[in-house]
Amino acid sequence: MDTVNHRLPLPYILCIIACFFLGPPENAISAERTTYIVHMDKSFKPESSTTHKHWYSSIVDSLNGDKKSSFLAGRSFTTTPSLQYTYDHAVHGFSASFGLEELENLKKSPGFVSAYSDKTATVDTTDFLSLNPFTGLWPASNYGEDIIIGVLDSGVWPESESFKDHGMTANIPSKWKGTCEEGQEFNASLSRDTNGHGTHTSSTAAGNYVDDVSYFGYAKRTARGVAPRSRVAVYKVSWAEGEYASDVLAGIDQAIADGVDVILISLGFNDAPLYEDPIAVASFAAMEKGVMLSSSAGNHGPGLGTLHNGIPWVLTVAAGTMDRSLAGTVILGNGLTLVGFTFFPGNATVRDLSLVYDKTLSACDSSKLLSQVSPESIVICDETWPVDDQIRQVTAAQLAGAIFISNSTQVGYFTCPGAVISPKDAYKVIKYVESSENPTVSIKFQETFLGAKPAPLAAVYSSRGPSPSYANILKPDVMAPGNLVLAAYVPSSPAGVIGTNELLPSNYALKSGTSMSCPHASGVAALLKSAHPDWSPAAIRSAMLTTANPLGNTKNPIRDYDLEFASPFAIGSGQIDPNRALDRGLIYDATPQDYVNLLSSLNFTRNQILAITRSEAHNLSSPSSDLNYPSFIALYDNQMTTSRVQKFERVVTNVGDGAAKYKVSATAPKGSEVTVIPETLVFLNKYEKQRYSLSIKYGWDIRGRVSFGAIIWVEENGNHTVRSPIVVSPVS
């Protein structure tokens, strides 16, 4: 990537590779001008232009009109077109600011494909994966040694202990083509992480080992990333002003050129068609280069159709809870003891304080009402208001603390002493208060318990499928731990708050979101890439999908936040299982041409397809909407009045040690019938391919319902099982 103005790729090198894009975005600096991303057909580059940058610069220069200057909010700017980035790997084209007249003139330029305005993205902000130093994926991959993970985020805090180089190989891998610089030109104030998001995601994916890490006494452990011997190249694309498509394109463009193996991006663009989604466009080029891109599903759940990054050629990751409980033990005056949820960061003492339950103020939605209670009291807050809001009101009332009744653990900051207890436990507490003359309570803080059940649960905030950008591929793909993940943080930003204004810094913080689940999956992808360097991104994704666990730690199906069984729209194939993904019997592979065939089947124009593929070298004459994907989704119209059959064709590749025989087992979605032909697949050799068809028959009586099932290919000797989820859903 070449840059113009002052956003320069001046990277910083630590034990790992950390790259930054300097300078905040200047998008929408004038009401008269808008930043556009322009796609060009590179075959039109004239011989007189020595480089693509020269060609694009000459195009922009030719659009320059009268030089004028103006002022906006005290800042001067020029009204001539301004080139921002040029792209040559993820896409062919550039980003620049234009007026409407200049944009119309640009469209007349030879080689013009398309242009659309810059977009803003939304950031999706114990070992529960059973990784073992003696067996499985860790030793098989040598902990991901020298795999390079490109992280597109808010930067990194290079001084963090998680980024020290002890145990790393001495030399940067020769495949790394980037330039990392340290010294006078490195402007720490512009390019380092200031909000902690990039530091948290990077260290989750590939942070080194750090002993005795905790969040103010909670979750004390040895911190490490999923792939602790991988290297990290961090591209700053998130700024205080926002996350812009032009920056994301520039980051992926540079990451491809630099030679990364896996790209981690925990942000996304809502409501963007594939041909205008910078992640979809740039990840196509990454996929062609063999680079795996792992993305977050978004934090707009639990409604259906809310996810972003539902892109056929990337991995889309949902978020779930862990079996670790951050706890506060509630001890009533009668001796009854309950374990509540809390991560109040202070070393508080709540001992034999008065416990108050007053229905006139138990909603805890007014600090004015709560102030009527003695400040040395602990109040009980009913399940009538979000816990986050109740905590704020109790804090503002300056009470000694509270007990919150809720099944939710979605809390930003625990600013007052208190604990969350479940509604089923609340009855005992309220009964004690109402039957006692002088009810009291004590609370112990800074406790951590393992083995919480049921776990994992689908996180309530995790965005659900089907994918708005392309609903005929089942998304999300998998679920990974995303709730209250402990990882490295920036000491310049508060990790905790006590009261209304006491800010607490920490080098490690607890964060929740699909931003936190995506790095777990990215780390697993890095480990698989190290263990199987010849696998394509589709093969790695297939291994993760077909081995994901649909069962929780109670050996029952994973449940949603409301304790109903979770559908694949919430969890994909299930919780990622790294060790099973290592030894994969069958994989569903896909080539770039397969994705082009899919694009050709859509109602896209030639230029819209070209914006994604960048080249007409691909064959557009073989449209097929039936991608060789390791999951199935049948969409129906709620107005249907007769039965319908939808058929899928799949090809599986034997990546086991040799000859193998598999038989299929099918669990049909409720109200449907599933037929698989043939029911047995016989492989004589490794890498041999076999084809099968799957048909789903469903009738009008399922209208309005989402139902789901699965097929499992079981090897005759029991060594491998290959599972694919099935969903039948209304289009809406």
Side-chain angles (χ1 to χ4, degrees), residues 99 187 190 220 254 348 387 445 466 483 559 635 703 705 714:
N187 190 327
L190 284 178
K220 191 170 184 178
Q254 188 65 53
V387 175
F445 296 94
N483 225 47
R559 295 182 180 271
L635 300 173
R703 288 183 302 186
R705 295 208 312 263
V714 182

Side-chain angles (χ1 to χ4, degrees), residues 542-551 573 577 579-588 630 652-656 660-665 681 683 692 710-725:
S542 172
M544 295 174 69
L545 264 69
T546 58
T547 57
N549 194 347
L551 304 180
S573 294
D577 190 333
N579 294 324
R580 290 190 63 234
L582 168 66
D583 183 17
R584 191 71 316 254
L586 304 176
I587 58 171
Y588 295 75
V652 288
T653 304
N654 176 28
V655 292
K661 183 177 181 180
Y662 287 82
K663 295 193 69 173
V664 73
S665 171
L681 299 177
F683 300 87
Y692 73 88
I711 65 165
I712 304 176
W713 289 101
V714 182
E715 192 174 7
E716 192 173 48
N717 58 18
N719 285 346
H720 299 103
T721 58
V722 183
R723 181 181 178 274
S724 295

Side-chain angles (χ1 to χ4, degrees), residues 203-226:
S203 61
T204 300
N208 214 328
Y209 291 82
V210 185
D211 293 331
D212 296 324
V213 167
S214 74
Y215 176 80
F216 301 105
Y218 297 93
K220 191 170 184 178
R221 51 164 284 185
T222 295
R224 50 94 186 136
V226 176

Side-chain angles (χ1 to χ4, degrees), residues 347-561:
N347 188 16
T349 299
V350 174
R351 184 174 302 162
D352 297 329
L353 295 184
S354 177
L355 183 60
V356 176
Y357 180 65
D358 185 336
K359 290 184 179 179
T360 64
L361 51 80
S362 62
C364 294
D365 58 350
S366 167
S367 59
K368 184 176 180 180
L369 285 176
L370 288 169
S371 297
Q372 299 172 11
V373 179
S374 167
E376 295 303 314
S377 299
I378 302 293
V379 296
I380 298 175
C381 299
D382 279 332
E383 193 181 20
T384 55
W385 205 254
V387 175
D388 248 342
D389 293 336
Q390 291 178 327
I391 289 174
R392 280 193 287 271
Q393 298 300 328
V394 172
T395 302
Q398 297 184 338
L399 298 183
I403 293 176
F404 306 94
I405 301 171
S406 178
N407 279 319
S408 174
T409 58
Q410 306 311 310
V411 178
Y413 290 118
F414 231 111
T415 55
C416 68
V420 179
I421 63 171
S422 69
K424 70 176 183 178
D425 287 337
Y427 170 77
K428 306 169 190 175
V429 178
I430 294 172
K431 183 179 179 181
Y432 162 68
V433 174
E434 293 177 338
S435 63
S436 300
E437 186 174 330
N438 182 29
T440 60
V441 67
S442 301
I443 305 175
K444 293 181 180 178
F445 296 94
Q446 297 176 326
E447 297 182 316
T448 305
F449 299 109
L450 299 178
K453 294 182 179 181
L457 301 175
V460 62
Y461 56 77
S462 188
S463 293
R464 269 59 170 174
S467 168
S469 59
Y470 184 67
N472 289 299
I473 295 293
L474 179 55
K475 294 287 182 172
D477 293 308
V478 291
M479 183 175 76
N483 225 47
L484 296 171
V485 175
L486 181 67
Y489 203 58
V490 298
S492 60
S493 184
V497 181
I498 295 178
T500 57
N501 59 6
E502 188 174 347
L503 307 181
L504 305 178
S506 175
N507 293 323
Y508 289 83
L510 295 166
K511 294 292 178 182
S512 297
T514 55
S515 283
M516 284 65 245
S517 60
C518 179
H520 283 89
S522 304
V524 173
L527 296 175
L528 290 171
K529 183 70 174 179
S530 179
H532 300 286
D534 57 329
W535 278 11
S536 69
I540 293 174
R541 184 181 59 226
S542 172
M544 295 174 69
L545 264 69
T546 58
T547 57
N549 194 347
L551 304 180
N553 59 4
T554 63
K555 305 304 179 184
N556 292 310
I558 292 173
R559 295 182 180 271
D560 214 326
Y561 71 98

Side-chain angles (χ1 to χ4, degrees), residues 186-322:
F186 177 71
N187 190 327
S189 65
L190 284 178
S191 55
R192 70 169 56 248
D193 187 8
T194 56
N195 64 27
H197 195 272
T199 299
H200 200 279
T201 57
S202 301
S203 61
T204 300
N208 214 328
Y209 291 82
V210 185
D211 293 331
D212 296 324
V213 167
S214 74
Y215 176 80
F216 301 105
Y218 297 93
K220 191 170 184 178
R221 51 164 284 185
T222 295
R224 50 94 186 136
V226 176
R229 291 294 178 261
S230 291
R231 298 177 183 266
V232 178
V234 181
Y235 301 84
K236 186 175 177 70
V237 300
S238 177
W239 306 87
E241 293 85 348
E243 297 77 29
Y244 287 90
S246 53
D247 295 317
V248 170
L249 276 175
I252 299 178
D253 196 73
Q254 188 65 53
I256 295 171
D258 288 346
V260 305
D261 299 293
V262 175
I263 293 176
L264 185 175
I265 184 162
S266 286
L267 53 84
F269 295 83
N270 298 321
D271 306 319
L274 291 175
Y275 50 83
E276 290 187 1
D277 184 337
I279 297 176
V281 170
S283 63
F284 191 93
M287 173 270 300
E288 287 187 302
K289 298 286 187 181
V291 179
M292 174 83 175
L293 193 142
S294 173
S295 65
S296 52
N299 298 336
H300 299 288
L304 295 181
T306 53
L307 65 72
H308 50 214
N309 296 326
I311 303 162
W313 44 89
V314 309
L315 182 74
T316 312
V317 187
T321 66
M322 288 185 272

Side-chain angles (χ1 to χ4, degrees), residues 331-351:
I331 307 168
L332 302 181
N334 63 359
L336 179 64
T337 298
L338 305 169
V339 176
F341 160 76
T342 186
F343 55 90
F344 177 68
N347 188 16
T349 299
V350 174
R351 184 174 302 162

